[in-house]
Amino acid sequence: MGARWWICGVSSGRNLRSLAARLHPAVVLGLGKLLSTASSTPQVCVVGSGPAGFYTAQHLLKHHKQVQVDIYEKLPVPFGLVRFGVAPDHPEVKNVINSFTQTAHSDRCAFYGNITVGKDVTVEELQQAYHAVVLSYGAEDNRMLGISGEHLPGVYSARAFVGWYNGLPENQNLEPDLSSETAVILGQGNVALDVARILLTPPDLLRKTDITAHSLEAIAHSKVKRVWLVGRRGPLQVAFTIKELREMINLPGTKPLLRPGDFEGLRDVIKDVPRPRKRLTELMIKSALEKPYEREAARWVSATREWGLKFLRSPTEILPGVNGKQAVGIRLAVNRLEGSGESAVAVPTGEFENVECGLILSSIGYKSLPIAPSLPFDAKQGIIPNSMGRVHNVPGLYCSGWVKRGPTGVIITTMNDSFDTAQSVLDDLSSGVLDTSICKPGFPSLKEMLQHRGVHSVSFSDWEKINAAETAKGSEVGKPREKILDLQLMLQLARQ
Amino acid sequence: MAVSTAGVVRLLSACRTLTTCGPSLPAALRPGRGWRACWALGVGPSCHVPSRSVSSDDKVTVHFINRDGDRLTAEGKVGESLLDVVVNKNLDIDGFGACEGTLACSTCHLIFEDHVFEQLDPATDEEMDMLDLAYGLTETSRLGCQICLTKKMADMTVRVPEAVADARQTYDMGKNA
């Protein structure tokens, strides 16, 4: 392809120009020389529009007065896991969208949706067009159980289930089988609790959320009455946080099934553990061992649904029904713990337990994937090797969010680590490690090529048309929004 | 797709339309500030702002020590939350109040002076739950969205905790969140 010339802005250009207007022509000539050596507008590209991408952009724009930040997104809609991960009954967490929207409205920020980096455009091409490229594409896969029967109908990844009730286009046709009374969730993190809560929440409460209509219908007809959350280690190693546990304990129409034996003697053990673990464990102990308050006791008596924590169990096999075509149970190996605290290891005792269940959801963690074979990737940890967000051995390439540190943490974790990465970019801009005397043209240089490849990007104002359609549809039925699941319909709305 | 660097540099010197790419951003639209216009009042704290017209007696001056050590001073009305003060006065604290005062994050974490802390109403379980996830938690930590200004707080100084990479890696419970 022939070389093209791009007109580049000069950081200090505007001030110099206005100064030049008031100066003697000879001085202006001198300024012109200065202009030619001044640095160009730093062009930064962020891959992924979830919290990591937006917080990275936010920090860059706030602390650098010239930088242009372009956010690329695979889907036509922004916000990643804020839209597709955060549970529909947690609308307050989604308030971060307001600040992300403000960022996107900045004159120096652009959103390019419907572009898959690694397929529609390569990272190398982005690096040619931008001074810095920040990979914030998250963790798009999930860890597998690696046991027989994992692919039987009735077994789903929690990730796909979450995508299904949150309107992720690729999961819209999941149609999970909710016809059995018992569900087993493998994992004891916040995603596991989210899934349990969505399965057990009275449908009338979900009706007021932005849960997708078809999932709500399926959940309203669900036969699931009992949910077990299974962990390979003990109560001191659960990964969920206390807010989510408290919600579960207070969930209308349900009662907790906590085996007193699992919690006896723990009070002494937690005396010296850090406060979050201590309070979390105390809440479990209180619910398992203490007599409930009157109101709580009354709720438990009238409860029609229940949930419980099963500790020291590792799945070994999904048990198929007589036709071999459907999961009807799960075989769990009984473990004991070696060591203590966060580093305790589960060791099989040789005993087993079978649990009858027709719905099995594996929630043992998300997993990042490499975006290009040529880029460094630590497959074991599922992250891009980096120091403070600087990708090892690839100058100008950075990462933030889950792909940088692994799929853990709440929103503040991602916020802080994205600010750190953005700061690394800013430091490299000011130190000259990122050479802005070389003009990089940014998106304009890629536009034609993308069109040639049949890729049509969706801008932030295009997204706002989709957003308006979704909120209008939701308000008809008293929901904050009804998410559009069909990519073609999204694109059609964007083009209107 | 190759962009001719030499060509671009040449063009740069002759460039007349300097704002063709990378226009500058009006101060009012700077991210992290303007969004606060979206702030929805009344979603979080149980603070009560007197409805009668506010006299100077109902105002309290508070000081914030920002992450970089900068001192920010602002005046708030009795009954407003500290998050309200930060939002209304556009105080420049990165990432403050992400969930907009709905007790769903810990980004408005503030550290109080002992004598002020002792006089605060006790934290609810829900506030404590969020504080558990805060970085740099101290014995006198609270969430700014839950603390309502009183006259007794006049001239108090609260500190924005520094987000330290090491501290946040030592304890990470929010697995899979």
Side-chain angles (χ1 to χ4, degrees), chain A residues 62 128 191 239 246 416, chain B residues 1 92 94 129 135 173 176:
Chain A
K62 187 175 168 189
Q128 280 181 25
V191 172
R246 197 184 296 283
N416 281 327
Chain B
M1 169 87 221
D92 192 1
D94 276 351
D129 292 355
Y135 293 127
M173 291 196 35
N176 306 345

Side-chain angles (χ1 to χ4, degrees), chain A residues 160-181:
Chain A
F161 190 77
V162 169
W164 172 71
Y165 67 62
N166 271 338
L168 189 63
E170 67 181 70
N171 297 127
Q172 58 179 308
N173 300 318
L174 187 74
E175 291 175 27
D177 185 343
L178 306 176
S179 65
S180 77
E181 285 197 359

